[in-house]
Amino acid sequence: MTPGAPTVVASDLDRTLIYSAAALALGMPDARAPRLTCVEVYQARPQSFVTETAGHLIAELAARTDAFFVPTTTRTREQYLRVNLPGPAPRYAICANGGHLLVDGRTDEDWHAAVLGRLAADCAPLAEIRDHLRRTADPAWLLRERDAEGLFAYLVVDRALLPDTWAKELADWAGPRGWTVSLQGRKLYAVPRPLTKSAAVAEIVRRTGAGSVLAAGDSLLDTDLLLAADHGWRPGHGELAAEGWGAPHVTALEGEGVGCGEEILRAFLARLPG
């Protein structure tokens, strides 16, 4: 940590800070459930939530002058921009798993062009991956197949019908082609290995002169972000928790569901100086 330098606080969103109704996992009687704040509306319906307390903590973090709060998500830009977090709008945000670096809500085109160049050089093309997904996915459990801004693909699946071995078989096929597979809730992602959140965070560190990075995330696609941070946190739920993943500087929290978002935010604020 560099004395006097700002801190970058890079956090995944879904199932880390914000939660769909299906992912809230309140685990308590209704009468004791925390008050919730809606932070996303989709097709005129409430979509994602934080606890009321977490909303206040996000606003406090976003207002800090000694830190840059950076939402860091696999969501596309359109999906991210419908999230309305409490507090001042973040100066920087990372979308599409690092494919887009937003500055005041707008894509940095130079960064995006550099990402496209790395993908073209280092991994199989998206068209090949999507073709394989279409040929091997079973309509019995496949709900939708999507192209995420021409950068990666994901499937929306019926988890109850998805065979336990299918994601691993896909990962074994995709790995030699330079792609990573991650299963998060109902979504199964196929993402180029060079497309990382940590690379975009490193660019923000360069631009801001930050002296340290704090990070949080729950999925396989967050491992590079957590490993690159000075300190990180992962919830007691999600892909990483299920695999028992850890690192010496990453705190494995026991909390699960929306309440864990509060834990992560308190941990961020406690680590900031002053």
Side-chain angles (χ1 to χ4, degrees), residues 54-115:
H56 293 312
L57 295 172
I58 290 171
E60 180 182 348
L61 179 59
R64 294 285 295 243
T65 59
D66 57 352
F68 289 91
F69 170 49
V70 182
T72 306
T73 180
T74 306
R75 285 175 174 240
T76 64
R77 288 172 293 175
E78 179 182 358
Q79 292 167 338
Y80 165 70
L81 289 171
R82 67 180 184 232
V83 176
N84 186 18
L85 296 173
R91 167 77 166 154
Y92 297 101
I94 294 166
C95 298
N97 216 63
H100 287 283
L101 172 57
L102 304 190
V103 183
D104 294 328
R106 300 172 64 89
T107 290
D108 184 303
E109 296 296 347
D110 290 340
W111 172 258
H112 183 58
V115 168

Side-chain angles (χ1 to χ4, degrees), residues 15-20 22-27 34 36 49-51 235-238 253-264:
R15 295 176 178 252
T16 299
L17 290 190
I18 71 175
Y19 292 79
S20 68
L24 289 173
L26 294 173
L36 299 174
F49 304 86
V50 298
T51 67
H237 60 258
L253 298 171
E254 295 184 1
E256 299 183 20
V258 69
C260 197
E262 285 186 27
E263 288 187 68
I264 289 167

Side-chain angles (χ1 to χ4, degrees), residues 65-203:
T65 59
D66 57 352
F68 289 91
F69 170 49
V70 182
T72 306
T73 180
T74 306
R75 285 175 174 240
T76 64
R77 288 172 293 175
E78 179 182 358
Q79 292 167 338
Y80 165 70
L81 289 171
R82 67 180 184 232
V83 176
N84 186 18
L85 296 173
R91 167 77 166 154
Y92 297 101
I94 294 166
C95 298
N97 216 63
H100 287 283
L101 172 57
L102 304 190
V103 183
D104 294 328
R106 300 172 64 89
T107 290
D108 184 303
E109 296 296 347
D110 290 340
W111 172 258
H112 183 58
V115 168
L116 293 178
R118 289 196 296 273
L119 300 189
D122 296 338
C123 54
L126 175 60
E128 178 182 341
I129 306 304
R130 293 190 72 192
D131 179 66
H132 181 81
L133 291 174
R134 293 190 191 101
R135 286 188 290 103
T136 59
D138 188 336
W141 48 258
L142 176 63
L143 303 178
R144 290 184 294 281
E145 187 264 344
R146 291 288 185 264
D147 173 328
E149 302 203 66
L151 292 166
F152 60 92
Y154 65 94
L155 308 180
V156 182
V157 303
D158 184 330
R159 283 294 296 269
L161 299 178
L162 179 71
D164 293 338
T165 60
W166 198 84
K168 183 181 184 307
E169 291 168 357
L170 176 62
D172 290 343
W173 177 87
R177 291 164 174 81
W179 287 66
T180 297
V181 172
S182 173
L183 181 59
Q184 304 175 37
R186 298 192 310 142
K187 291 183 178 178
L188 188 146
Y189 294 90
V191 177
R193 196 171 293 129
L195 189 66
T196 65
K197 295 178 178 180
S198 60
V201 168
E203 175 63 12

